[in-house]
Amino acid sequence: MQYLFGSEIPSLALRFRDYIRSRYQVELELKQITDDTGTLLYGVFIAEDHPQMAEIKQEQQRFLREPFNERYEQASWQSGDIRPSAVQTGNRLPNLAGLGRNLLRNGKFTVFLTALCLLIYLLQLSGFNDEVLEFAHYPAYPDEDVQLWRYVTHSLVHLSPLHILFNLVWWWIFGGAIERVCGSRTLIVLYLVSALLSGIAQNLASGPAFFGLSGVVYAVLGYVFVADKFGARRRFDLPQGFFNMLLVGIAVGFMAPLIGIQMGNTAHISGLAVGCLFGFFAAKSSARR
């Protein structure tokens, strides 16, 4: 069998299969595979040396540019077979279990940063809170300006259970997705740049007394949203209303002082801007391939 393409989203593979079936009366084969990083994909295959190979490969390129076009949706409904179970799974677990395994199989940098934040928080709870804050805070005095670690270590420290819980959940889900799809280098660069620039912005707005991964988290959220919105194909399985969730998160940050909670709104917005910019360039880069 000749491999055409693979997707982490089973409905996309089914949609293309059904469209080719209705338009060309050609039966494609779907089966679960894993890529070089161990990510579960739903692969689309065609018989070797099929007489309509050239036409179907042209359709493949067209589909990857606009997979959510109405014509593909109509083909799926007409076929009546839009269930993920239509993909050949062999002895593999069902789709939901596969998605769960992907989350548990996050890349090394996602796991490393999560573990580092948890370790630092445990040190704070173990009686070393003052020492951690003193070592990791953003530069506050002239002699600290040359202590380069301070420009990113502020992002690794958290001040409450809810603070670290929310930040690490979003980092684990969407930072992990970026690392699986785009590689560790992309996520590392995004982390360093967003931690640096969101820290600079928050320092200008409120001074150096701020901590947490939220500026980086907003960069990660902005990246996946814009990369999917403007990319040639959707590579992240974002839930419905994802953009509205971003807006609500920003709004809550500005309303929080009314109930006595201070948030790093400048870090949130600047981190989001950094992530959107990275995502836009990633989308344009993928469109040129």
Side-chain angles (χ1 to χ4, degrees):
M1 300 295 288
Q2 173 74 44
Y3 176 72
L4 293 175
F5 71 94
S7 172
E8 290 187 73
I9 308 173
S11 60
L12 293 186
L14 290 165
R15 188 172 297 183
F16 182 72
R17 189 275 314 270
D18 294 339
Y19 176 76
I20 294 300
R21 175 191 287 167
S22 63
R23 181 174 175 82
Y24 294 96
Q25 289 73 54
V26 173
E27 196 64 36
L28 302 181
E29 182 178 338
L30 307 183
K31 57 184 177 181
Q32 290 182 350
I33 58 175
T34 55
D35 64 11
D36 293 339
T37 66
T39 300
L40 180 68
L41 298 177
Y42 296 84
V44 182
F45 296 82
I46 186 173
E48 290 280 359
D49 301 322
H50 194 283
Q52 293 175 280
M53 178 75 76
E55 294 95 323
I56 291 173
K57 284 196 171 182
Q58 287 181 346
E59 291 286 0
Q60 169 206 339
Q61 295 172 5
R62 184 183 182 190
F63 174 79
L64 293 177
R65 287 195 299 269
E66 46 179 5
F68 295 95
N69 189 286
E70 184 178 344
R71 61 177 169 270
Y72 304 121
E73 188 74 33
Q74 290 174 345
S76 292
W77 282 108
Q78 289 167 2
S79 76
D81 186 7
I82 59 173
R83 297 166 290 112
S85 58
V87 181
Q88 293 183 14
T89 59
N91 294 323
R92 296 185 182 277
L93 296 174
N95 177 40
L96 289 178
L99 293 177
R101 288 206 311 274
N102 279 344
L103 284 178
L104 293 174
R105 199 168 53 222
N106 271 341
K108 293 180 181 178
F109 185 67
T110 304
V111 174
F112 168 76
L113 198 74
T114 301
L116 184 58
C117 288
L118 289 172
L119 176 61
I120 290 171
Y121 192 63
L122 288 176
L123 285 174
Q124 293 174 252
L125 295 179
S126 301
F128 296 96
N129 186 62
D130 290 344
E131 290 83 354
V132 168
L133 298 185
E134 176 59 33
F135 176 81
H137 70 74
Y138 193 88
Y141 306 104
D143 62 322
E144 293 176 344
D145 290 344
V146 295
Q147 296 173 351
L148 300 182
W149 71 86
R150 295 185 180 277
Y151 293 96
V152 295
T153 51
H154 59 85
S155 68
L156 303 174
V157 179
H158 294 84
L159 305 178
S160 73
L162 286 179
H163 191 203
I164 191 170
L165 174 64
F166 283 115
N167 279 343
L168 290 188
V169 165
W170 294 123
W171 166 259
W172 185 263
I173 295 172
F174 295 105
I178 292 173
E179 188 167 14
R180 288 195 306 273
V181 173
C182 306
S184 299
R185 181 181 300 178
T186 296
L187 186 61
I188 291 170
V189 172
L190 180 61
Y191 164 72
L192 292 174
V193 174
S194 59
L196 174 64
L197 295 184
S198 66
I200 292 172
Q202 188 63 49
N203 180 59
L204 292 174
S206 65
F210 59 89
F211 293 97
L213 196 65
S214 54
V216 174
V217 165
Y218 271 93
V220 165
L221 297 176
Y223 182 98
V224 297
F225 173 73
V226 172
D228 261 14
K229 182 73 173 178
F230 297 102
R233 58 190 179 94
R234 295 185 63 179
R235 298 188 291 173
F236 303 101
D237 190 12
L238 300 183
Q240 290 291 329
F242 184 83
F243 181 68
N244 292 336
M245 180 192 73
L246 288 179
L247 295 181
V248 169
I250 295 291
V252 167
F254 282 101
M255 292 188 293
L258 299 176
I259 57 174
I261 300 175
Q262 299 298 322
M263 291 190 178
N265 294 310
T266 305
H268 296 173
I269 294 173
S270 57
L272 181 63
V274 169
C276 289
L277 189 62
F278 269 67
F280 180 77
F281 283 118
K284 295 303 179 185
S285 175
S286 65
R288 290 194 294 267
R289 293 174 185 171

